[in-house]
Amino acid sequence: MSRNKFPIFLFIIVGLALLGVGYRLLTDPKGFLITILGIVGFAALIFAVAYLMFFRNRGSISNSDEMKKYKAAVKQSKQKYQQPKPNKAVKSANKKQAKTVPLKRKSQRRKINHLRVIEGNKTDKKKRATN
């Protein structure tokens, strides 16, 4: 029973509100506009206070440690994947140099930054069951 009464009650309230707004608009348009502007101004004031209190500090992460790490990672990624566009004359010079440069050995390889060794207790060996 209560399910059927709630929508009817809601429609009655909305209908009366629309009648009141229409009546106020027809009888006192200047007062109606002042009231609407006052409501909008009050809502804007509440929003500005809430924004300054809660959301203003969100943009200040530019100097934080996380942002510095992010910028360093972006710079490293750009250096790794960005390839300059060589001219035709430079291409032929690079081909001649590439033939004369020996291959790099394992000890001369550059350190990979995203991989690291986790130190552990290497003296304890697990006993394995043999079949």
Side-chain angles (χ1 to χ4, degrees):
M1 261 330 235
S2 65
R3 282 183 124 183
N4 293 335
K5 290 182 182 179
F6 183 72
I8 294 171
F9 179 71
L10 185 65
F11 286 130
I12 290 173
I13 295 295
V14 170
L16 288 174
L18 288 175
L19 282 175
V21 168
Y23 179 75
R24 178 80 189 259
L25 183 61
L26 292 175
T27 58
D28 187 18
K30 183 179 177 183
F32 175 76
L33 290 176
I34 290 172
T35 304
I36 294 297
L37 288 176
I39 291 171
V40 170
F42 185 70
L45 181 68
I46 296 294
F47 177 76
V49 168
Y51 179 79
L52 289 175
M53 291 180 76
F54 298 113
F55 300 115
R56 182 177 63 178
N57 294 333
R58 274 192 178 173
S60 66
I61 64 168
S62 62
N63 293 330
S64 71
D65 191 39
E66 292 178 14
M67 185 56 82
K68 289 178 185 176
K69 288 180 182 178
Y70 172 74
K71 287 181 179 179
V74 168
K75 184 177 178 182
Q76 181 181 6
S77 178
K78 283 183 180 178
Q79 287 176 352
K80 183 176 181 181
Y81 294 112
Q82 187 177 14
Q83 297 176 355
K85 297 179 182 178
N87 294 335
K88 290 181 181 179
V90 175
K91 282 184 183 178
S92 62
N94 285 343
K95 285 182 183 178
K96 291 177 184 176
Q97 282 183 343
K99 291 179 183 177
T100 60
V101 174
L103 296 175
K104 291 184 180 181
R105 295 181 184 161
K106 284 187 178 182
S107 62
Q108 294 176 342
R109 286 186 185 171
R110 148 180 153 200
K111 181 181 175 186
I112 299 174
N113 290 333
H114 66 278
L115 300 175
R116 68 179 158 176
V117 176
I118 299 173
E119 296 296 328
N121 197 359
K122 296 178 182 177
T123 58
D124 294 335
K125 294 184 179 180
K126 294 182 181 178
K127 295 181 181 178
R128 294 186 181 187
T130 57
N131 290 337

